[in-house]
Structure formats: C-alpha cells, structure tokens
Amino acid sequence: SDEENWYCECPKLYTGKLCQFATCDENPCGNGATCFPKSRRDVVCLCPYGRSGILCSDAINITQPSFSGTDVFGYTSFLAYSTIPNITFFYEFRLKFQLANHRSALQDNLIFFTGQKGQGLNGDDFLELGLRNGRVVYSYNLGSGTATIISKPLDLTLNIHVIHLGRNLQKGWLKVDDQKNKTVTSPGRLVGLNVFSQFYLGGYREYTPEILPKGPRFKNGFQGCIFDVQVRTSLNQGFKSPGTPEGHPNSGRSVGQCKGSPCSLIKCRNGGKCIETGSTVYCDCLTGWKGAFCTETVSVCEPEHDPPHLCQQGSTCVPLPNGYTCHCTLGTTGTYCEQG
C-alpha cells in the first residue's frame, strides 16, 4: 500500500500502530480509572478524582486540588464540574493558583475552559483562561470573534497568584495579583456566551487538547495547585464554588492534594493577616489597605475607607491632597451636599 495508508490488524489484547500495546481489556484499575497500556504486560492506572494508589484503590480527601500537567501518556490531569448556569450575559470569576515551578509558568498551560460543544471547533462560543510565557491569558468568543486579554508577566517571587476576571455583554476585564485592571471588548455584534460543556479546571478530559479553540490553543495541563475557584452570574448574588452540589466535581483524573497550608505560602503585606477557612485563603488587610496582598492603598473616597466619607444624596466624592470635597448633584448644596 502507499506510504501512509497501511495499518496493522491487531490480534485481541493488542493495540497501537504496530500492535505494540497490550489493551486494557482485563482492566485491573479500580474505581473508574483511565487504564493505559504501558507495555505488553504493564498498565498504568490514571486515577479518578478522590482516588490514589497504583490501582486507584486508596481514597484521598482533596480540599485544594493539585494538578500534574500533561503526563507522559499525553493525558492531562483535570477536574470537570457541571455546566455553569446563567453565564450568558454576565459572569465574574475569582481563583488562586500556585505554580509547581517557574518553568511551568512559561509553558502553555490551561487553567479553565468551557465551550459550546466542549469540542472547541471553530465558530464555537467558549471561555478560557490559561498561562503563556509567564503571563495570564483570558479569552472568550461570543460567536462573532475572540476577545483576549494578556496580563503583565507574573511576579514569580509570589508563591500564590490571585485572579479576578469578568464579562458584561461584550466587555471583559482581568485583574491579576495587584496589577492594574485590563479591559477588552469582543468583536462583532453578539453579546451572549452560549456554552453547554462542563467547566474544566486544570486540563481537559480528551486525550489531547488539540480540539480546544484555535485562538489560544493551550497545549498542556496546569502544573501546580488551583483553589478558591468561585463564580457569580449577577451583581446582586454572592460568589459560589462551581459544581452540583456546590464545590463537588463530576469527575477528574490524576488530581492530588496540594502540599502545605496556603497561608504558609501567602505573604500579606502592611500588617495584613492571612485567613484560611476550609479551602479558602485570603489576606485580611488593616484599615487603609486593600488588594490581594494588602499592597494597594484605600482612597479617602472609597467605601472601604475608615472613617467613610460624608458626601450625601448621590453626590460625588473627589479626593484632594489633604482630604476630599463633595461635588453636589443638581438641587443640593453645602459642604457635604446635605442641604436641599
């Protein structure tokens, strides 16, 4: 036959181009693990979420998942959560991550993905977040073109990185650690994100991420820990963990538990205190400070400022070098616009 079109018809138990792999027909892996034929006699069990060990028979409790990237067999470690509802017109995500090593920040690593068919074919709506060349990349496509925001390079002296991102109709924004907020507007006319696939964290169920959207095309799974993933789909609701029930993935593969407590890795500045509750970790800042690590000052006009400003009746507070002034709305007057 011509060069490329030959193939071997394998006897039972063997697979591969040259019938070199023993199949996993007599699968010794337990608990729904992915079986991979390592040699004619050996298989490797890639354990599902909540299991570990050679044959995936040991149960492990995972509060802060640790992802191992793409393994030598070409599978990524991942968690899959149920589809996030009501994400069409507005969403806001928060999450934290810790890199396994500095080298992993420079690869194309997928942090999360959800898509229309989950197949990421061209023209599909999708939302995804990843790392490329030491920067965070956030992309979405509402069906009329891809919008992408790329952060400044990560400060690799930080052990834990904090991401806030969101979208309202066509406008998206991304804030990484204490970098400035960056914004983008998606092209075309469409304003709704129609995604029906599961919400994938750290990697992807399929054998290779080749089928992810062509735009960013993150080739590797994430290496390190991702935790505190939270989402809300309207401004007047609280943040929630993904999953049904909340915080519970539907499935996963090759996911471990993050080592050490996150507070031992976070350095809150300016007298801030690290607080850990369950799988959540954050800096509780002293008065006058805000931001992921308490490095940003609170302006006298911001609601977090203590004492609060006294501008009344919808007037605008404007900071001055020493103090502030109130710009009154029509029909009000006085220092604090308190008089009609």
Side-chain angles (χ1 to χ4, degrees), residues 63-64 96 160 227-228 257-266 268 273-284:
T63 54
Q64 271 132 356
K96 301 188 179 69
I160 287 186
F227 41 93
D228 286 7
Q257 168 69 352
C258 212
K259 307 234 184 324
S261 85
C263 271
S264 64
L265 303 165
I266 283 191
C268 305
K273 201 160 114 235
C274 182
I275 308 285
E276 228 176 289
T277 56
S279 64
T280 297
V281 56
Y282 65 95
C283 289
D284 192 16

Side-chain angles (χ1 to χ4, degrees), residues 56-69:
C56 306
S57 45
D58 311 338
I60 51 169
N61 182 27
I62 294 172
T63 54
Q64 271 132 356
S66 131
F67 299 86
S68 47

